[in-house]
Every structure is written in C-alpha cells, then in structure tokens.
Amino acid sequence: MSQHSSADRSAETPSVTETDERWHAISLENIYKTLETFPGGLDDAEARQRLARYGRNELVLEDKISPLRVFLEQYTSALIWLLVVAAAVMLFVGHYFDAGVILAIVVLITLFGFVQDYRAEQSIAALRELATTDATVLRNGERTEIDARNVVPGDVTMISAGDAVPADGRLLSESNLSVDESALTGESMAVSKRAAALADETALAERRNMVYKDTVVTRGSAMAVVVETGSNTEMGSIARALESAQVRKTPFQTEMDQLGKSIGVGVVLAVGVIVVAELLVGETDPLTIFLTAVSLAVSAVPEGLPAVVTLSLALGARRMAAKNALVRRLSIVESLGSVDVICTDKTGTLTEEEMTVQRVYAGDDVYGMAGSEHEVVHGTSLDEGQLHLDCVAELFRCGLLCNDTDVGRREGGERSYLGDPTEVALFVAAQTIGIDPDACRRRYPRVDGIEFTSERKRMTTVHETPDDETVAYVKGAPEVILERCDRELIDGEVRPLSTERRSEVHERIETFAGDALRVLGFAYRAVDDVSTPITEEIETDLVFLGLQGMLDPPRPEVPAAIEGCQAAGIRVVMITGDNAITARAIGDEVGLSDQVLTGSEVSEMEGDELRQALHNVDVFARAAPEHKVRILQTLQEMGHTVAMTGDGVNDAPAVKNADVGIAMGIRGTDVTEQASDIVLLDDNFATIRNAVREGRRIFDNVRKFVNYLLSGNAGEVLLVFTGAIAGLGLVITPIQILWINLVTDGAPALTIGVDPEADDVMERSPRPIDESVITDRIATSIVGIAVFMTVTILPLFYVHRANLELAQTMVFTSFVLFEMVRIQAIRWRYNLGLLSNPWLVIAVVVTLALQLVILYTPIGVLFGVVPLEGIHWLQIGTGVVAFVVLMLLFVRIQDQIFDRY
C-alpha cells in the first residue's frame, strides 16, 4: 500500500472492507463476493443504496465555503481597523455619538463586503460543481453513462484512451491498456496494465492489475470493477483534480492590487498635505482633522477593487456557463477579448455531428442508402435486398464489427447509441440494411484489436468466425486503407487490386468527398496465428471491401457565427482530419476560403514558408495533433492571440498551450478537458463566438466600474485637498465621506458589472493582449472627472461658506448626485441608454432616496446636514448641467486623441 493509506483518509466515508490494501492480490471471484457485485454490474436500486452508504465519488476539499470565515475575513483589512481605531479615539475623548456612527458604518461596510465576497465564492463553487466528468458503467446489465461522482463500489466501469479513471478499480479485462499514473506515483512513463492477480507484497507503482482514480488512460481500453471511491481512493489524500482548478489571482486582480498600492501611497501624501495645511492655516480642530484623514484614506484607497473584479468575473463566468461555455479558469475571461484567431475542429463544432451513411461503394458499384438524398441520384438503393451480395454484406459487417458503439442509457435518460458519432453512423447503417448487431457480434466475437489514433488513421479488430477461423477487420482514412491493400472483393471473389482499379477507387473517394461526405475505407484479412499479441503487421496485405460516405451537414448557425467573428476582427481557421476535398467543401459552405493545406504539406514547410501560408489559408486537412501544435505556435510567433479547440487525447498539448484552450464537452476526452480553459457543453462553434462576445462584455464592464470607482475616489481627495489648500477648511465632514463611499461605491458600482453589451462589441478589433485595464483614455477620464467635479462643486461651498453646516450639506448632496450622473457619463461612449440596465436604475433610485431620507428626516443630525430648499436644489442642478457640458466637451477632445475605448 502507498503512504496514502486508509489511515490518511476521511473517517466520515466508510471503506468497502478493512482488507482494501489487498485488492490487487485477491482473485476476481473473491472480489465479486466481497463487493457483492456481478460481471454485469449493479442494478439502479443497489447503486442508489451504495451511493447513500459510501457518499459521492469526489475528493473532499478542506476549504469549503464558510460564511463565518468570509465574514471574519472582512476584518483583516487594515482600513477597517483604521476606522475602528478612529471610533476608539472618539470614545476616549467622549464623542460617543460620532463613535457610534463610525462603528455603524464599519458594520455596514463589512456586511456589504461579506455579501460581495460570499457571492463570488458561491459563483466559483458553482463553476466547480459544473466541472465534472462522465463515467461509463454497466447498470442493469447494460452500458450506461453517468456522472462520475455517482460511481459506487461494485460498479463495473469501462475506460478507454483519453479517459480519466473515475475510481480505484481492479481490472477485469483489457486491450493494450496503458495508464499515466504520474500524478499518483511520480512515474513519468505510462504503465502497461494486465488483468492477472499479483502477489500481496506488490508495491503500488507495480500493481499492473489496478487502475486508480484521476489517472489517465493513454492507450487501449479496459473493464474494471470499482473497489474504492472518493476519499477512500489512493488519490484521496492528494485532492489534485479540483485543487488544480482553484482560482489564482488573475492579471486583472494583480493589476488592481498594484494600482491600489500606488494609489494608497498617493493618498497618504495628499492627506499629509491636507493635515499640514489645516493645522498651519486652518481653523479645524485636530480631532476633526484626524477623522477626515482617516475617512479620506478609507474612501480613496480602492482596497475592494480586486474583490469587485473577482465577483464580476465569477458572475460573468456563470452567465457563460448558462450559454454552454463552462469556464474552468477565471483569468481566461480576460483573454477572450484579445482572441484574434480561432482554430477549430470541423466535426461536431462546425457541423451537426449527426452523421448518417448516405452513399457506399462496394464491388465496383455505388449505392445510395435507402431514404437518403443519394438514393434518387444513383438509382439504386441499399436495403435488405442487397444482403445477398457478398461484397455489400462484408462491407457493412466490417463497419459493424470494427466498431466500439453500443446501445445503452445515459443517466436518467432513454436508451441510445453510445459511442463516437462516426461509428454510430456505421452501426446504424448496418442495422438499416438488416444486420442484427447483437447476433452478428455473437457470431463474430472480438478477440483482439489495435485502437484508432490520429497518427495511424485506422483501427483494427480481430474476430473469430462461425467457421472457427480468425479474421481482422480494418477501417480508416480511405487512402491509408487503400495503400495497405493488395486485393479486393468483387462479386464474392478476391481479386488482385490493379493499378487501374486503385485509380478508379481514388476517383470514387474524390467524388464522395467533393459532395462534402466524410469517407472511410474498409478492408479485411485472414489471420493465421492469434496466440501472440497482434502488431501493425496484421494491417498489411489487406483485401479492400469498399467505401462508406457519411454526411455531417454544417450547423445552420455556423455561417453567421463565422461571419460575426470575421466582422469582429477574428479569423477562423478550420483544422480537420478529413481529406482536402471534403474539408474544402465544408469550408465553402460555412464561409471560409477555398485554399487548403494538408498536414503533410505543413510538415514539409520551413518556418517562413508556413508563416506566409498562414496569412491566406483558412482550411487545413488531414491534420494530426503535431500539425495543430505547429500551426498554433507559428500563429503565436506571428503575434496572434489564438483560441484552439480539441477533443482527442492527443489534442491536449495544443489545447494546453493555446492562449485560450477549448475542449469539447460532449465528444471530448477527460484529459483534453483538464488541459482546457473553457469546455463547450454543446460542442458548437457558435458558442465560441458567444463566449468571445461575453468576454468582451465583461471586460468592458470591468473597465467601466474601475473608471467609476477611481474617478469618484480621486474626486473626493481632490475636492478636500483643494479646499484645504485654498484655505476653505474641510468642505465635507468625515461621516459624510464615509457615507458617500458606502452608498455610491456599493450597489451602483456592482450593478455596472451586469451592464448589457455595447451594440458594437463584435464590430471592434480584438484588444491587444498586453493592453492594461486602465488605458490612456481611461486614465485621462479619471483625472478629468475628478477635476470637473471639483470645479463645479467647490463654488457651492464657497457661496455658502458663512453657514458651514449648509455649505457642507451642499457639497455632500452634490457629490452623491454627481456620482449618479457620472455613471451615465462613463457609459456614454458605450451607447448605453439610461434604462438599459434595470438593476442600475434601481440602485441609483435607492441611493438618491437614501440621500433624501438623510436630508429630510431626523436621521440627518447623525450626518451634520440641514434640509435644502428649492434655491439650493437649483444651484446644485446648475452644477450638474455644468458638469455634463464639461464632460461632453472633454469626451469630444478625447475622441480626437484616443481610440474610442
């Protein structure tokens, strides 16, 4: 047993048995007996009982969301304690009333911070909850896809290349199985597995008959019986899977942290000048000066800005998840707005992934499948009547047997076909012409095989025949199959495959592909000796059986989505394993250029030649994973920000190294999902377009509330600083400053985060990846707004300076009102109307209502205000108009100097 033994595991989750350390040494018969299970797996009722007994199959993280912890963390802020100290000083000098007000504001600030941070934590936790994988098990004797968290001890699970092993299991059978166990044992090489029992003392790293939770299948397939789940697995004390998905500081947050520190230094210097000026030339008492300094420091330093950014990103990510784009890393939301190239797969992403066999070529004849559009074109349809033709029967039998499709259930759903869409199409085609899949597979049991890989472009399975012979069936890319054939089946007779006939078959392949059909070739050969493990040598000297052409039409929404991306300055590149003719046909249908490069051509190109080609070529055919990586790296070297999609296990390197890695949630492998930044829950290209749109919207909103918060804070400091330097004394009281910070930097600022997108959000060029949140335009906007607020509010204080309480009330009310006007001033250049964000309207109305409550109710005594009369409101309104006019002029000047955003 490893050092991560049962002693380290959660005491709350029961283990199956106290002898769990010996699973590798127990015979399969005893394992079935111990686990009270069967080769056909559990039934649904028993599985539910075990789920209740053993708990969910997940690694329990220590840092569950604790409302108390989140609340107490609000009091780790130095600025909060600065206010507490200020309240203590007021208590010490006998100003109990002011101390109570300060403490009340402290409570309100921390409560608001708690709500904000807790919502962010909940949003992130919800994203983690969505980031789960499926597992294939036998339930009620049939293959069933379930949430991997619902796997229980005794389940019989099936795994294949690219899968993350759902739980610890003992192998029942395997075919060329290799597993990457580096996360558990540190062994960098994949480990070959065998089902035979081992000795008791076998070390963890050498237990070839066991598979372990969260290790990754790199090759082959297997069936295993689950022996431990969740915290009782060998990985239980490591909790790697979800820990790796924990949120790190995003570039936004890092930038905001650094900005906050810089502003903090500036505020300290400004407050220092104000204090010195008031002490030397002012008439304000030292205690009030102290409170003002504290209030300015608390209000002006944007300490909560990183938290607001986190909340905005988290809420945006949840909104994206609702639109089928699951964000695995919050930081990637920032990168979406910079993407200027999307490299996408064809099958299932640009197309519907609902393949149907439309046309077949067998025995030198072409047939349209009965009921397909090709039936009329070719005059001959395939149905049960053609099964007497040996060439037709063998072609469809090969497609059915060299196939991993099964009929089963998805958790809580109806019976359906489970498998790769291409193989499902072959399976259904065989059924359509009258072949019974179950009967055929019983008559031709599989005994061995070599799995499909993108490098090999073919798959082989070995079967026993009813005549006690052995045959290998092979399917794959037609040109790959054809080059391995030296004979063909014609009219029930095996004949030599002549050069002339090869040319004719190639012409058929091109004809099929020219009609946008995905073409597969099929072949077979007799096998003499199966006593030794088969090798690729079995895939030579084959007998060619024919072709099957499948139609996978483009998704109806894809052409418009690609056009929208192109309008947004985003280039779309299709990289597919299909041949060049099929790829060009699909590319034409979805709006891509008709220039095509094949993977072999990419391999032959030098760096400069490939860079030149990438300026013009949008379609790459017969591309292997290494071609994807090279195309990606070359685009990045050219200065592009690239989003890359992938689904297979070998796509993981390209997805991992892309600026935005996108995995397919339906057909994608677990290892590719783990390498990705975003998972498409519907595998649809239009969802990528929508994710980019949403990413741009989120970035716009972050910029808006950064501008709003910083310009307001700068305005407060500049107003008080200017008043002090001008000898006017304190133009606003400390309590009023704290209230402004609470109500205007609270709900109104947060509601900007849910602003709708600007009309032109997908008409702009992508944002440079290294562009800061605060551009030169936003920096000048922050300074300009602060200056304009000061020059339009300060005269109101000067006019009423003889009545200090009224003058400060005018400044206080003006500032709150200006804050509300300023929100729309910032939203102007995004062409967002006043009523486009209902939540913002509500926040503004509530804020203004609270201000009126302070002015015209007895509570006003707490804030040192007096009721304002009509003339006062008229003066404030004049200031607002002046501010709006200045802002309009300023925006026009900015338009002449800077880009719009």
Side-chain angles (χ1 to χ4, degrees), residues 39 61 79 109 135 167 186 204 226 269 274 281 337 443 448 502 559 569 583 604 631 685 806 826 866:
L61 297 175
L79 296 180
I109 290 174
L204 174 70
V226 174
L269 293 175
I274 293 171
V281 300
R443 285 168 53 82
D448 211 336
R502 284 182 188 275
E604 295 171 359
I631 292 167
F685 178 83
L806 174 60
I826 290 170
V866 296

Short mmCIF file of all heavy atoms in Angstrom, two decimals, residues 39 61 79 109 135 167 186 204 226 269 274 281 337 443 448 502 559 569 583 604 631 685 806 826 866:
data_model
loop_
_atom_site.label_atom_id
_atom_site.label_comp_id
_atom_site.label_asym_id
_atom_site.label_seq_id
_atom_site.Cartn_x
_atom_site.Cartn_y
_atom_site.Cartn_z
N PRO A 39 -20.43 -9.62 -12.85
CA PRO A 39 -19.81 -9.13 -14.10
C PRO A 39 -20.70 -8.16 -14.86
O PRO A 39 -20.21 -7.30 -15.59
CB PRO A 39 -19.57 -10.42 -14.89
CG PRO A 39 -19.43 -11.48 -13.85
CD PRO A 39 -20.39 -11.10 -12.76
N LEU A 61 -12.59 18.65 -0.45
CA LEU A 61 -11.64 19.73 -0.19
C LEU A 61 -11.86 20.28 1.20
O LEU A 61 -12.97 20.34 1.71
CB LEU A 61 -11.82 20.85 -1.22
CG LEU A 61 -11.54 20.46 -2.68
CD1 LEU A 61 -11.89 21.64 -3.57
CD2 LEU A 61 -10.11 20.05 -2.87
N LEU A 79 -7.69 49.01 6.60
CA LEU A 79 -8.52 50.21 6.57
C LEU A 79 -9.72 50.10 7.50
O LEU A 79 -10.15 51.09 8.11
CB LEU A 79 -8.97 50.49 5.14
CG LEU A 79 -7.83 50.81 4.15
CD1 LEU A 79 -8.40 51.07 2.77
CD2 LEU A 79 -7.04 52.02 4.63
N ILE A 109 -20.14 48.53 6.05
CA ILE A 109 -19.09 48.26 5.07
C ILE A 109 -18.73 46.78 5.06
O ILE A 109 -18.60 46.14 4.02
CB ILE A 109 -17.84 49.12 5.34
CG1 ILE A 109 -18.15 50.59 5.03
CG2 ILE A 109 -16.65 48.65 4.51
CD1 ILE A 109 -17.02 51.54 5.40
N ALA A 135 -18.76 8.97 -16.52
CA ALA A 135 -18.15 7.64 -16.48
C ALA A 135 -19.11 6.67 -17.15
O ALA A 135 -20.33 6.85 -17.11
CB ALA A 135 -17.88 7.21 -15.04
N ALA A 167 -12.53 5.95 -10.61
CA ALA A 167 -12.37 5.48 -9.23
C ALA A 167 -11.33 4.36 -9.23
O ALA A 167 -10.95 3.85 -10.28
CB ALA A 167 -13.70 4.98 -8.68
N GLY A 186 4.41 9.36 -9.44
CA GLY A 186 5.57 10.11 -9.88
C GLY A 186 6.26 9.49 -11.09
O GLY A 186 7.19 10.07 -11.64
N LEU A 204 2.75 -0.30 -4.89
CA LEU A 204 1.71 0.45 -5.58
C LEU A 204 2.07 0.70 -7.04
O LEU A 204 1.26 0.49 -7.95
CB LEU A 204 1.46 1.79 -4.87
CG LEU A 204 0.49 2.75 -5.56
CD1 LEU A 204 -0.92 2.21 -5.47
CD2 LEU A 204 0.57 4.13 -4.94
N VAL A 226 -15.08 -1.41 -9.68
CA VAL A 226 -14.71 -0.34 -8.75
C VAL A 226 -14.60 -0.91 -7.34
O VAL A 226 -15.53 -1.56 -6.84
CB VAL A 226 -15.74 0.80 -8.80
CG1 VAL A 226 -15.44 1.84 -7.72
CG2 VAL A 226 -15.75 1.44 -10.17
N LEU A 269 0.19 60.79 0.82
CA LEU A 269 0.87 62.07 0.60
C LEU A 269 -0.13 63.22 0.57
O LEU A 269 0.10 64.27 1.18
CB LEU A 269 1.66 62.01 -0.71
CG LEU A 269 2.85 61.05 -0.73
CD1 LEU A 269 3.47 61.00 -2.12
CD2 LEU A 269 3.90 61.45 0.30
N ILE A 274 -2.98 67.83 3.34
CA ILE A 274 -4.23 68.39 3.89
C ILE A 274 -4.09 68.61 5.39
O ILE A 274 -4.47 69.66 5.92
CB ILE A 274 -5.42 67.45 3.58
CG1 ILE A 274 -5.70 67.41 2.08
CG2 ILE A 274 -6.66 67.89 4.35
CD1 ILE A 274 -6.70 66.34 1.67
N VAL A 281 -2.83 76.65 8.71
CA VAL A 281 -3.59 77.84 8.32
C VAL A 281 -5.08 77.71 8.56
O VAL A 281 -5.81 78.69 8.45
CB VAL A 281 -3.35 78.18 6.83
CG1 VAL A 281 -1.87 78.46 6.58
CG2 VAL A 281 -3.83 77.05 5.93
N GLY A 337 -11.29 38.59 -24.89
CA GLY A 337 -11.42 39.83 -25.66
C GLY A 337 -10.24 40.09 -26.56
O GLY A 337 -10.31 40.97 -27.44
N ARG A 443 -21.85 -13.98 -33.26
CA ARG A 443 -21.30 -14.91 -34.25
C ARG A 443 -19.83 -14.61 -34.55
O ARG A 443 -19.07 -15.51 -34.92
CB ARG A 443 -22.11 -14.84 -35.55
CG ARG A 443 -23.46 -15.53 -35.46
CD ARG A 443 -24.34 -15.17 -36.66
NE ARG A 443 -23.69 -15.42 -37.94
CZ ARG A 443 -23.63 -16.60 -38.56
NH1 ARG A 443 -24.17 -17.67 -37.98
NH2 ARG A 443 -23.03 -16.72 -39.73
N ASP A 448 -9.26 -9.49 -30.15
CA ASP A 448 -8.10 -8.60 -30.01
C ASP A 448 -8.33 -7.37 -30.87
O ASP A 448 -9.35 -7.28 -31.57
CB ASP A 448 -6.81 -9.32 -30.43
CG ASP A 448 -5.59 -8.81 -29.65
OD1 ASP A 448 -5.65 -7.66 -29.16
OD2 ASP A 448 -4.61 -9.56 -29.54
N ARG A 502 -6.96 0.87 -58.52
CA ARG A 502 -6.61 1.83 -57.47
C ARG A 502 -6.99 3.24 -57.90
O ARG A 502 -7.54 4.03 -57.11
CB ARG A 502 -5.10 1.78 -57.18
CG ARG A 502 -4.65 0.60 -56.37
CD ARG A 502 -3.15 0.67 -56.09
NE ARG A 502 -2.69 -0.56 -55.48
CZ ARG A 502 -2.76 -0.82 -54.18
NH1 ARG A 502 -3.25 0.10 -53.35
NH2 ARG A 502 -2.33 -1.97 -53.70
N PRO A 559 -22.43 29.50 -40.31
CA PRO A 559 -22.01 30.55 -41.25
C PRO A 559 -22.17 31.97 -40.68
O PRO A 559 -21.26 32.79 -40.82
CB PRO A 559 -22.93 30.33 -42.46
CG PRO A 559 -23.24 28.86 -42.41
CD PRO A 559 -23.37 28.55 -40.94
N GLY A 569 -13.01 41.10 -36.35
CA GLY A 569 -11.56 41.05 -36.50
C GLY A 569 -10.95 39.74 -36.08
O GLY A 569 -9.74 39.66 -35.83
N ALA A 583 -12.81 18.75 -46.77
CA ALA A 583 -12.56 19.95 -45.97
C ALA A 583 -12.88 21.21 -46.77
O ALA A 583 -13.50 22.15 -46.25
CB ALA A 583 -11.10 19.97 -45.51
N GLU A 604 6.28 19.64 -44.49
CA GLU A 604 7.37 19.91 -45.42
C GLU A 604 7.77 21.37 -45.47
O GLU A 604 8.81 21.72 -46.04
CB GLU A 604 6.96 19.44 -46.82
CG GLU A 604 6.77 17.93 -46.93
CD GLU A 604 6.16 17.51 -48.24
OE1 GLU A 604 5.86 18.41 -49.06
OE2 GLU A 604 5.95 16.30 -48.44
N ILE A 631 0.95 24.71 -36.12
CA ILE A 631 0.14 25.84 -36.60
C ILE A 631 -0.09 26.83 -35.47
O ILE A 631 0.04 28.05 -35.64
CB ILE A 631 -1.20 25.33 -37.16
CG1 ILE A 631 -0.96 24.53 -38.45
CG2 ILE A 631 -2.16 26.49 -37.42
CD1 ILE A 631 -2.18 23.74 -38.92
N PHE A 685 -19.62 25.66 -32.53
CA PHE A 685 -18.77 26.81 -32.81
C PHE A 685 -19.45 28.12 -32.43
O PHE A 685 -18.79 29.06 -31.96
CB PHE A 685 -18.39 26.85 -34.30
CG PHE A 685 -17.56 28.05 -34.65
CD1 PHE A 685 -16.18 28.04 -34.45
CD2 PHE A 685 -18.14 29.21 -35.15
CE1 PHE A 685 -15.41 29.15 -34.73
CE2 PHE A 685 -17.37 30.32 -35.44
CZ PHE A 685 -16.00 30.29 -35.23
N LEU A 806 -24.60 74.29 6.21
CA LEU A 806 -25.29 74.31 4.92
C LEU A 806 -24.30 74.09 3.78
O LEU A 806 -24.59 73.32 2.85
CB LEU A 806 -26.00 75.66 4.73
CG LEU A 806 -26.66 75.87 3.35
CD1 LEU A 806 -27.71 74.80 3.08
CD2 LEU A 806 -27.27 77.28 3.26
N ILE A 826 -19.87 57.88 -17.86
CA ILE A 826 -18.90 56.83 -18.20
C ILE A 826 -19.50 55.86 -19.22
O ILE A 826 -18.80 55.32 -20.08
CB ILE A 826 -18.47 56.09 -16.92
CG1 ILE A 826 -17.62 57.01 -16.04
CG2 ILE A 826 -17.72 54.80 -17.24
CD1 ILE A 826 -17.34 56.48 -14.66
N VAL A 866 -28.38 69.87 6.96
CA VAL A 866 -29.61 70.64 7.15
C VAL A 866 -30.48 70.45 5.92
O VAL A 866 -29.96 70.16 4.83
CB VAL A 866 -29.29 72.14 7.34
CG1 VAL A 866 -28.50 72.37 8.62
CG2 VAL A 866 -28.53 72.70 6.14
#
